[in-house]
Amino acid sequence: MLYLWNTATKKQEIFTPVHSGDIGMYTCGPTVYAHVHIGNVRTFVMEDILQRALESDGLHVRRVLNITDIGHLTTDADAGDDKMEMSAIKSGTTVQDIAQRYTDLFLQDAEKMNIKIPAAPFLCKATDHIQDQIALIQLLEKKGYTYRIDDGIYFDTSKFSTYGNFGGQKLEEKEEGARVQVNVQKKNKSDFALWKFARVDVQRQMEWASPWGMGFPGWHIECSAMAHVYLGQPFDIHCGGIDLIPVHHENEIAQSEAAYDVPLAKYWMHVEFLLIDGGKMSKSLGNVYTISDIEHRGFDPVALRLFFLGCHYRQKQNFTWDAVQANQNALQKLRSVIRTWKGSGTILVEFESEFKRAIADDLNTPKALAIMWKLVDSVASFADKAATILKMDEIFGLSLSAYVGQDEILPQEVLDLAFERIAARENKNWIVSDALRKKIEDMGYSVSDGADGQKVSKI
């Protein structure tokens, strides 16, 4: 039984599916005009943990992940330039090429981070669902929620009585605090574009015919349209980063519930911000790190995944390179345990049960991780440790099973020395580490250190 914090109700609730055994889950994906940064990746990892936790309970998860390849403008006020068009101009190529390039890079990063990606059609692009978005706008128009001004078709937020409730702001508060460029034709400052008209003075690469003329959809409408196509309404869980609450998700709720007169989603999960060295991630500070940056520093991306597990998803997490190094060392230690395993062993029920209770408590990964390390340091046999760790890793997603049996079966005395040496290296006690290496070699075994950890084998 999973207890999950629900952003909509602002309390922790027992998760009960809308439809028994079949979970509909929508996860806001990347805008593919540039590399996703590690703050985005943290959100995708924690959403992946949620999916794995649900599946471990025997539930079937239909997860939708959208690719925003059109319509995301540079301000939340539906003003400025399209991020996709700007990236294409800067690189001297087409918007389609930009979208494909960064979609491919996102999928490669997801694979490196062991993030499950939905198969087609649930990995869906905004540009493949233009007609679905137009149909939804037409439904809103028919029900009286829209109006037309010079630059597009807008949603009238004053006609949706609960607008602002989700983000915890009243309409007037949102108007005062929104990042807007004043559009004097809008009825309310919080009104948002459903369809933007093509400009006569600017030739865009992506425009479509519609009942209102040539143009392109606003950013928010794609998620409502694609969620309805693949999951219906209401569906179980809508996920995303905490930054999406006050604008994107508020607007999704308004247009979806105005159109279909039922809630959009039963549960909402949001992942907190990732800090960099205690501060914000910023291009001006040069600290908008990507998975490529992690690799260029010599780290395994899975070490970053392990780092993310060490902080609850509803808490801000502070990224430092020292923290990544510590998690790289910890990952190597786990892999070293698994290397000794040859397939035998019994899952230790007391550790597994404690682990499951931690995960069921609103995905408490720091507590679950502490339970796993308690197991590693326990007096249980290596076979039982490995079997239990691999069971835990079905949710953690560190791909430890790839390291099963890479070391030959070693005598217990050699194993004990090998793990003492790992601890010495973690503490940078190189004299002790070298002494332990010599002891192991004197017993007829070689020791090698690599990116995947320590390997011990018969000479």
Side-chain angles (χ1 to χ4, degrees):
M1 184 179 296
L2 175 65
Y3 290 81
L4 191 65
W5 179 268
N6 189 351
T7 306
T9 59
K10 299 174 179 61
K11 62 182 180 180
Q12 191 163 302
E13 301 173 358
I14 298 174
F15 176 75
T16 54
V18 174
H19 304 289
S20 180
D22 187 25
I23 309 302
M25 178 176 169
Y26 191 92
T27 48
C28 281
T31 302
V32 285
Y33 69 98
H35 276 100
V36 295
H37 57 67
I38 58 174
N40 304 137
V41 174
R42 183 193 184 201
T43 296
F44 298 136
V45 166
M46 300 318 296
E47 292 166 347
D48 184 62
I49 295 293
L50 173 59
Q51 179 178 347
R52 289 169 182 267
L54 293 167
E55 290 173 342
S56 74
D57 282 342
L59 299 170
H60 174 256
V61 179
R62 285 180 298 133
R63 179 184 173 194
V64 175
L65 175 65
N66 71 298
I67 301 292
T68 298
D69 56 356
I70 186 65
H72 194 165
L73 304 182
T74 51
T75 77
D76 290 338
D78 302 305
D81 297 310
D82 186 295
K83 293 180 179 180
M84 299 294 303
E85 299 269 346
M86 290 177 64
S87 183
I89 292 170
K90 184 177 180 180
S91 63
T93 186
T94 67
V95 172
Q96 291 85 352
D97 287 342
I98 289 292
Q100 191 60 57
R101 176 188 175 193
Y102 288 111
T103 298
D104 290 344
L105 287 171
F106 163 68
L107 295 177
Q108 290 169 21
D109 286 347
E111 183 177 6
K112 292 172 183 176
M113 293 293 295
N114 297 332
I115 297 169
K116 294 183 177 182
I117 294 295
F122 300 117
L123 178 65
C124 47
K125 297 180 179 180
T127 50
D128 289 337
H129 294 80
I130 298 298
Q131 294 308 312
D132 297 312
Q133 295 172 71
I134 288 174
L136 177 52
I137 298 168
Q138 287 180 299
L139 178 57
L140 290 168
E141 187 176 52
K142 182 179 179 180
K143 297 183 75 170
Y145 285 97
T146 71
Y147 62 92
R148 180 180 184 132
I149 59 178
D150 287 349
D151 70 344
I153 304 297
Y154 280 74
F155 184 93
D156 187 344
T157 55
S158 68
K159 293 188 175 182
F160 189 72
S161 62
T162 59
Y163 188 84
N165 288 359
F166 184 73
Q169 289 180 296
K170 295 178 181 179
L171 190 59
E172 59 269 22
E173 292 172 339
K174 287 181 69 67
E175 290 176 355
E176 292 172 358
R179 292 177 292 155
V180 300
Q181 295 179 0
V182 176
N183 183 333
V184 296
Q185 292 186 329
K186 288 168 63 171
K187 294 182 178 180
N188 311 284
K189 290 181 180 179
S190 57
D191 294 350
F192 56 92
L194 300 168
W195 188 265
K196 295 282 283 186
F197 300 144
R199 291 169 52 182
V200 295
D201 59 331
V202 177
Q203 181 61 51
R204 291 174 48 87
Q205 294 186 43
M206 284 190 171
E207 295 177 351
W208 291 267
S210 79
W212 315 283
M214 293 297 294
F216 60 98
W219 170 33
H220 315 294
I221 197 70
E222 68 176 83
C223 289
S224 290
M226 291 188 286
H228 192 266
V229 167
Y230 294 112
L231 300 176
Q233 193 172 315
F235 55 89
D236 293 280
I237 309 173
H238 197 312
C239 305
I242 197 169
D243 56 308
L244 298 180
I245 292 176
V247 178
H248 183 50
H249 286 169
E250 189 82 70
N251 292 349
E252 273 190 68
I253 289 170
Q255 63 199 10
S256 293
E257 297 186 4
Y260 301 112
D261 300 313
V262 293
L264 174 56
K266 187 174 180 181
Y267 302 91
W268 289 77
M269 172 190 175
H270 290 90
V271 181
E272 256 287 3
F273 289 113
L274 182 71
L275 305 178
I276 306 295
D277 294 319
K280 289 185 177 182
M281 191 182 303
S282 168
K283 288 183 180 179
S284 62
L285 296 175
N287 63 4
V288 182
Y289 300 129
T290 67
I291 297 301
S292 293
D293 294 320
I294 300 296
E295 292 179 306
H296 290 159
R297 293 279 189 122
F299 295 113
D300 188 325
V302 180
L304 180 66
R305 183 180 178 106
L306 182 57
F307 164 73
F308 289 147
L309 298 179
C311 182
H312 194 275
Y313 76 89
R314 287 196 294 114
Q315 296 178 330
K316 291 183 175 69
Q317 186 171 22
N318 187 39
F319 172 93
T320 67
W321 290 109
D322 285 345
V324 181
Q325 180 63 67
N327 279 274
Q328 177 103 332
N329 295 340
L331 181 63
Q332 291 173 350
K333 185 173 182 178
L334 286 173
R335 288 170 174 172
S336 294
V337 174
I338 300 304
R339 281 199 176 94
T340 68
W341 195 56
K342 301 301 178 183
S344 61
T346 302
I347 293 175
L348 300 169
V349 176
E350 64 273 25
F351 284 100
E352 183 191 22
S353 297
E354 195 177 356
F355 176 86
K356 285 184 175 180
R357 284 194 295 272
I359 293 296
D361 182 18
D362 194 27
L363 306 181
N364 193 334
T365 55
K367 186 175 181 179
L369 197 59
I371 293 163
M372 188 179 71
W373 286 118
K374 183 172 72 172
L375 168 61
V376 171
D377 295 333
S378 73
V379 296
S381 72
F382 280 98
D384 292 349
K385 284 183 184 182
T388 309
I389 289 169
L390 288 172
K391 185 66 177 176
M392 295 174 174
D393 196 43
E394 292 177 8
I395 291 177
F396 278 164
L398 302 173
S399 289
L400 296 177
S401 60
Y403 294 85
V404 169
Q406 286 192 354
D407 281 351
E408 58 192 275
I409 297 175
L410 303 174
Q412 188 64 46
E413 186 178 1
V414 174
L415 284 172
D416 290 342
L417 291 172
F419 278 90
E420 283 183 43
R421 184 173 179 273
I422 290 173
R425 288 176 61 80
E426 287 175 353
N427 294 322
K428 296 182 170 26
N429 194 334
W430 310 121
I431 295 175
V432 173
S433 172
D434 290 343
L436 289 167
R437 174 197 286 272
K438 187 173 188 312
K439 281 187 180 182
I440 294 170
E441 289 174 346
D442 288 345
M443 296 173 70
Y445 293 85
S446 66
V447 181
S448 62
D449 300 301
D452 291 338
Q454 173 181 269
K455 293 184 181 181
V456 181
S457 57
K458 185 73 173 175
I459 296 175

